[in-house]
Amino acid sequence: MNSPLTHFDEAGNAAMVDVSAKDETVRIATARGYIAMKPETLALIRDGGMEKGDVLGVARLAGIMAAKKTPDLIPLCHPLMLSKVAVDFTIDEAGSRVEIEATVKLKGRTGVEMEALTAVSVAALTIYDMCKAVDKGMVIGGVHLAYKEGGKSGTYLGPAA
Amino acid sequence: MNSPLTHFDEAGNAAMVDVSAKDETVRIATARGYIAMKPETLALIRDGGMEKGDVLGVARLAGIMAAKKTPDLIPLCHPLMLSKVAVDFTIDEAGSRVEIEATVKLKGRTGVEMEALTAVSVAALTIYDMCKAVDKGMVIGGVHLAYKEGGKSGTYLGPAA
Amino acid sequence: MNSPLTHFDEAGNAAMVDVSAKDETVRIATARGYIAMKPETLALIRDGGMEKGDVLGVARLAGIMAAKKTPDLIPLCHPLMLSKVAVDFTIDEAGSRVEIEATVKLKGRTGVEMEALTAVSVAALTIYDMCKAVDKGMVIGGVHLAYKEGGKSGTYLGPAA
Amino acid sequence: MNSPLTHFDEAGNAAMVDVSAKDETVRIATARGYIAMKPETLALIRDGGMEKGDVLGVARLAGIMAAKKTPDLIPLCHPLMLSKVAVDFTIDEAGSRVEIEATVKLKGRTGVEMEALTAVSVAALTIYDMCKAVDKGMVIGGVHLAYKEGGKSGTYLGPAA
Amino acid sequence: MNSPLTHFDEAGNAAMVDVSAKDETVRIATARGYIAMKPETLALIRDGGMEKGDVLGVARLAGIMAAKKTPDLIPLCHPLMLSKVAVDFTIDEAGSRVEIEATVKLKGRTGVEMEALTAVSVAALTIYDMCKAVDKGMVIGGVHLAYKEGGKSGTYLGPAA
Amino acid sequence: MNSPLTHFDEAGNAAMVDVSAKDETVRIATARGYIAMKPETLALIRDGGMEKGDVLGVARLAGIMAAKKTPDLIPLCHPLMLSKVAVDFTIDEAGSRVEIEATVKLKGRTGVEMEALTAVSVAALTIYDMCKAVDKGMVIGGVHLAYKEGGKSGTYLGPAA
């Protein structure tokens, strides 16, 4: 019996699976996550803007660029010609965290959920890097697939989490 | 007044900060995180091993290689000559998750916490990629700095989290 | 009102714009530029050839390879499957400079002017690197889009510059 | 007789020259250049800021990240552990252009002028990319080494250009 | 007369050749090679598996990831969206060597033989790296194209070698 | 008992081994290999030079640049600041092959044999790519470590092969 994990062949060897027979369709994926921090750190990010340093602007670019590097980072991901990447942030004062959402779009033969999850993760890591001088205790969490559309497996709607 | 965020200059412009005057000392950082999943997915990973597909072996390599790419991913990180990278996993049956720990070591002029956090994040993303055919609802969380040693700021011990 | 700069959304946030609805057409772009230097430096390049060192051969390859790296360098560029890259040089004795021209071709959904401009720039930088031991005062200039064809915006013909 | 171009051996073959015997000293390089454009385009950049899109913030990051990629781009450059990279812009209304200055610092065995020149070039290319929807006629020019310090060859002061 | 070597133009200058007019067809290439070593080294690899260290698992991943980097390594290769990569090993006790086979598949405009040959070479280099502490005398050989299908030039069947 | 393969820990998990306690010494490695081909193909390479296309000039640069990418290609290799890379070719008419030799030098904490072997392999792959239009049957072989100096393990002299 084969592994239900599609990245392994019948002998259990890792392989980049064949997608050449799949249709070229429009595929979209949205991933979400957050980075939790001290309220003072959140205030620095919120008040920063252009004058004191635009943490979220740097993190947004890092996330977008990371989406393009996904096949370099995730061993069995296919190289893809992404047609859109967007990364957005919401400041959650009550939860003392920055919420991160990334959406990736492609006209191609395989899904882009890994690209969206990678964009969220690297945006969060970049916020950590920018703020670690004042807050080493930040925690990245809740990184999950929120939405996926296109391709054979149809639409997926993740938990509201 | 300058920003307390060291990656910005007095005008609020992002810059890679000057570390040329820092001492070359041995620096160590350990980061931790987890990926939560369905118990059936965890069982597949645990029972996989060589026969059905070694998910954690692939994720470990991805994490190690990602640590080396950190300056490519995080815009203001310095390029560093890492002298050690290790990534380890613990299967937490009760929590239905894989716990991930990465330790990075360097003899150099700046800390390696971003490298350790990046290794954990990319190892988690790779587990997601390897298992997403059976479980799209996995969640990456608890990614934090657990330990840091060396350099001017001394030893940091994160929460047990 | 939206920004006329298409790489920003209505809130002014950078994003990689959606090209998934664009047609796959043949697109061509030609960029030009030069690097000015002392006449003695130009003579070394001209007389070099195989015997003393082929500066332009190295610069040509660097330009071609850089065109492939454009989406890694320019944050909001789409990854593209270039179908042709050529870089050519003309020695301008009167102007004491090397003129550089790069042409890039693609069958795809977005233009390749950034790839052509990047090829010219990196070819020029490589000439600087190869000759800087004898001439640190070289100046790279006149880097511009000379020609663009294909896609919705039609043909563009730049200044003769 | 050997080529005066140090990147070639006595047979005219390209090689990455041996720097292992050089001292580890602090080395600094500053490069400058500009991108000329229509006054309306310059106004868009100047007035953009956070609301309409921060062109210079994106270009600054692209320049910093490109400095780190220099050994990937310039065939015979040594891999280096840069200890500082900064990119700054001045809006020149009279000349209708953005002036770009990059400074790179290193404690190491070889100079960083190529890293500074690469940062200026890629920052300029990124401005082109961000504004090309409204102005395809922009021209990148005046890219030169302004200042260099450290190492055997001592201090170099370029033209005011 | 033109060079029969297609990567040069009529003046002998290297260029990435134009493939934009080629059909998008399914293309497959298989490459093979081996790494010869001492029988004791081969025994370590064979008996390793999960307990003592999975040399071939690491080498397989390295080969797959290298196939994706081919256009970064081989100057005039086109960037391609590979749709499948697999790397397999056979332990040849009699010959005291590990035989390596890589198969790459693509729906695209140009062949993937370089990707398959690169995967074999980097898998072999990785075995060397993993075992060099006990055997510096290993030799990589017999790296050749075994099979090629698709595109204008039709099917190629290499020597059994 | 630990694995004699140093890239695995006591549990058989791959890791990048700790070199932070090693001395910074000058280390040199030379690797050799060849690519065998039809005599007509060898003649094309030999007669090419500048006029018809400089195959070996392209392959030399590819080999030098690949040495710099070794830590990206070989999963457990340390990032290193190479201080010299040279790649040379000898045309062996009798054997109908091009012999390739790469020498890499470093002042650092770990050896550079993988960098030298990678340079030879990628130079050979590039020759294959440049000549495959006329000769698909070329075979890369004899890739081995010829010489190694520096570090705790002292000087190694490989077979004349």
Side-chain angles (χ1 to χ4, degrees), chain E residues 34-39 42 91-99 139:
Chain E
Y34 63 80
I35 177 165
M37 60 191 71
K38 288 191 267 185
L42 194 69
I91 288 189
D92 170 8
E93 302 277 357
S96 196
R97 59 201 212 180
V98 178
E99 301 198 333
V139 178

Side-chain angles (χ1 to χ4, degrees), chain D residues 61-125:
Chain D
L61 275 192
I64 292 172
M65 296 179 85
K68 295 192 271 184
K69 286 186 216 287
T70 304
D72 254 10
L73 293 171
I74 312 297
L76 303 175
C77 269
H78 294 82
L80 295 177
M81 288 198 306
L82 307 182
S83 52
K84 179 194 164 175
V85 185
V87 176
D88 283 300
F89 303 99
T90 309
I91 289 190
D92 171 7
E93 302 277 357
S96 197
R97 59 201 211 181
V98 177
E99 302 198 332
I100 308 168
E101 177 179 298
T103 295
V104 179
K105 201 169 167 184
L106 168 86
K107 186 160 183 182
R109 293 194 178 82
T110 184
V112 285
E113 57 266 56
M114 292 317 303
E115 282 73 11
L117 288 161
T118 300
V120 167
S121 296
V122 173
L125 289 166

Side-chain angles (χ1 to χ4, degrees), chain B residues 38-92:
Chain B
K38 288 191 269 185
E40 308 88 277
T41 312
L42 193 69
L44 275 172
I45 291 177
R46 188 195 55 215
D47 300 342
M50 290 302 284
E51 300 74 30
K52 297 263 186 68
D54 179 16
V55 170
L56 300 184
V58 176
R60 177 179 287 112
L61 274 192
I64 292 171
M65 296 179 83
K68 295 191 271 185
K69 287 186 214 289
T70 304
D72 253 10
L73 293 171
I74 311 296
L76 303 176
C77 270
H78 294 83
L80 295 176
M81 288 198 305
L82 307 181
S83 51
K84 179 195 164 174
V85 185
V87 176
D88 283 299
F89 303 99
T90 309
I91 289 190
D92 170 8

Side-chain angles (χ1 to χ4, degrees), chain C residues 140, chain D residues 31-35 98-102 120 124 140-144 161:
Chain C
I140 298 168
Chain D
R32 292 203 190 102
Y34 64 80
I35 178 165
V98 177
E99 302 198 332
I100 308 168
E101 177 179 298
V120 167
I140 298 167
V143 180
H144 71 286

Side-chain angles (χ1 to χ4, degrees), chain B residues 60 68 83-85 105 107, chain F residues 16-19 71 75 77:
Chain B
R60 177 179 287 112
K68 295 191 271 185
S83 51
K84 179 195 164 174
V85 185
K105 202 169 167 183
K107 187 159 184 185
Chain F
M16 195 195 297
V17 297
D18 188 358
V19 298
C77 270

Side-chain angles (χ1 to χ4, degrees), chain D residues 116-157:
Chain D
L117 288 161
T118 300
V120 167
S121 296
V122 173
L125 289 166
T126 301
I127 294 173
Y128 189 98
D129 183 48
M130 305 295 286
C131 300
K132 69 182 193 290
V134 298
D135 188 356
K136 285 186 177 51
M138 291 172 283
V139 179
I140 298 167
V143 180
H144 71 286
L145 179 64
Y147 180 77
K148 182 180 186 310
E149 171 193 316
K152 203 181 53 178
S153 66
T155 298
Y156 169 84
L157 191 63

